[in-house]
Amino acid sequence: MTERTPVTAPAPRPVAVFDSGIGGLTLVKALLERAPDTSIVYFGDTARLPYGSKSDATIERQSLECLRFLLGFDPAMVVVACNTASSIALPALVRAVDRPVVGVIDAAVTAALRATRNRRVGIIGTAATIRSGGYERRLLEQAADLTLVSRACPLFVPLVEEGWIDHDVTRQVAHEYLDPILAQGIDTLILGCTHYPLLKSVLAGVAGPDVTLIDTGAETAAEVADRLRASPDATSHPRAPAAAPSLHFFVSDVPSRFEDNGARFLGRPLGPVTLVEQSDVPWYARRLDATKGGA
Ligand code: DGL
């Protein structure tokens, strides 16, 4: 009699999403609204947040390390929810793998071009995103007649992390950042950071009804959902077409904080969050190797 090996159905291939931390959950929320059957594996690099104040070299290296971790799940697609990583590391991430890697810039640019009537577009984001000029380049490639005004808004991320969403201090900071951009007569404002959708009502109040706010995460989620619809085979495992979708969250530090604050970003409880091993970041060991090599 031949022994039968138990068959455990493999889960559907997930969409992998990463961000410097918790903010990418705004994109996940929008994706689940549009494609609720999607399995998602999410990595938030909470140990090394923020990315927005780091150098290009550091942002690229950290982004590649996030990608390497997520490839272990054999994702059908990788979504770079972080605007800073999308602005700086996307070409390196695309070169590094043999599967689709989607950043947030293209979908946001398409939406901004659709929205603007007077061809004057504002862009706000972290210091690194604005320094990179990534949004400006892409916008001008598509439409050279645009007038662009950009501004780094570094205080918005800590205000959101602190939960100061509908808060007078946040409103005052928003005026400080946005009034000079609004004075240039923009009619469209790209919210080029994962955290800014949570400030939408404050930003809309400051910007007024004539300015369209572009939510980069929601626009990208719509693009990802379209791609998934167009190629359903990519995410369904051939031997387990009916397997249930799953959500897995991983972080590089303090999962409890991610769990508590994550609900605000995702709009529902996250469930357990897994802390990943940090043993693959031996920077001191690399330095020792280099010293040995040079001796
Ligand atoms: N996730 C980042 C972004 O969208 C904001 C937080 C950070 O600076 O790491 O640019």
Side-chain angles (χ1 to χ4, degrees):
M1 197 174 133
T2 44
E3 232 176 49
R4 299 187 62 184
T5 12
V7 177
T8 40
R13 289 179 75 203
V15 169
V17 181
F18 80 83
D19 180 39
S20 52
I22 207 165
L25 292 177
T26 51
L27 186 154
V28 171
K29 177 173 185 268
L31 180 57
L32 289 173
E33 278 161 14
R34 288 173 180 271
D37 289 340
T38 312
S39 283
I40 295 175
V41 53
Y42 182 98
F43 178 61
D45 195 4
T46 47
R48 300 185 291 185
L49 173 119
Y51 279 24
S53 57
K54 305 258 165 35
S55 70
D56 290 6
T58 298
I59 293 162
E60 186 173 300
R61 178 172 50 77
Q62 292 180 176
S63 301
L64 284 165
E65 288 172 1
C66 294
L67 176 70
R68 204 174 56 192
F69 171 72
L70 288 169
L71 286 180
F73 298 90
D74 187 27
M77 183 191 295
V78 179
V79 182
V80 185
C82 180
N83 281 252
T84 304
S86 293
S87 302
I88 286 149
L90 195 67
L93 295 166
V94 169
R95 274 196 307 275
V97 287
D98 58 352
R99 61 197 80 201
V101 179
V102 181
V104 289
I105 293 182
D106 280 355
V109 163
T110 305
L113 290 173
R114 214 184 302 125
T116 186
R117 297 165 308 280
N118 71 3
R119 318 300 283 164
R120 303 176 80 82
V121 176
I123 305 132
I124 54 174
T126 65
T129 294
I130 298 306
R131 186 185 65 228
S132 78
Y135 275 106
E136 288 90 332
R137 253 191 319 279
R138 206 75 190 97
L139 282 159
L140 293 173
E141 270 166 29
Q142 309 280 322
D145 64 322
L146 294 174
T147 299
L148 304 176
V149 197
S150 57
R151 173 114 205 221
C153 305
L155 290 177
F156 281 159
V157 168
L159 285 168
V160 171
E161 294 271 333
E162 197 56 35
W164 288 18
I165 305 296
D166 191 10
H167 195 290
D168 282 346
V169 169
T170 310
R171 209 163 286 112
Q172 208 179 323
V173 170
H175 272 293
E176 197 70 36
Y177 284 143
L178 298 192
D179 286 352
I181 308 182
L182 296 167
Q184 308 279 318
I186 58 162
D187 71 356
T188 303
L189 179 63
I190 298 179
L191 309 184
C193 176
T194 46
H195 287 58
Y196 300 176
L198 276 95
L199 298 178
K200 243 189 213 163
S201 70
V202 168
L203 299 178
V206 171
D210 296 335
V211 177
T212 306
L213 304 182
I214 305 294
D215 178 337
T216 55
E219 297 298 338
T220 307
E223 184 199 324
V224 171
D226 285 349
R227 282 191 188 217
L228 294 174
R229 247 190 312 277
S231 54
D233 289 352
T235 44
S236 64
H237 196 287
R239 286 191 295 125
S246 60
L247 290 181
H248 289 294
F249 298 99
F250 296 88
V251 293
S252 48
D253 206 3
V254 199
S256 57
R257 184 172 153 79
F258 189 92
E259 246 166 67
D260 294 345
N261 290 347
R264 195 167 59 235
F265 284 79
L266 196 62
R268 66 182 200 199
L270 267 70
V273 176
T274 308
L275 178 66
V276 299
E277 278 284 336
Q278 287 293 292
S279 53
D280 64 336
V281 197
W283 59 269
Y284 46 87
R286 279 186 216 146
R287 193 186 135 99
L288 283 178
D289 285 350
T291 315
K292 270 189 230 146

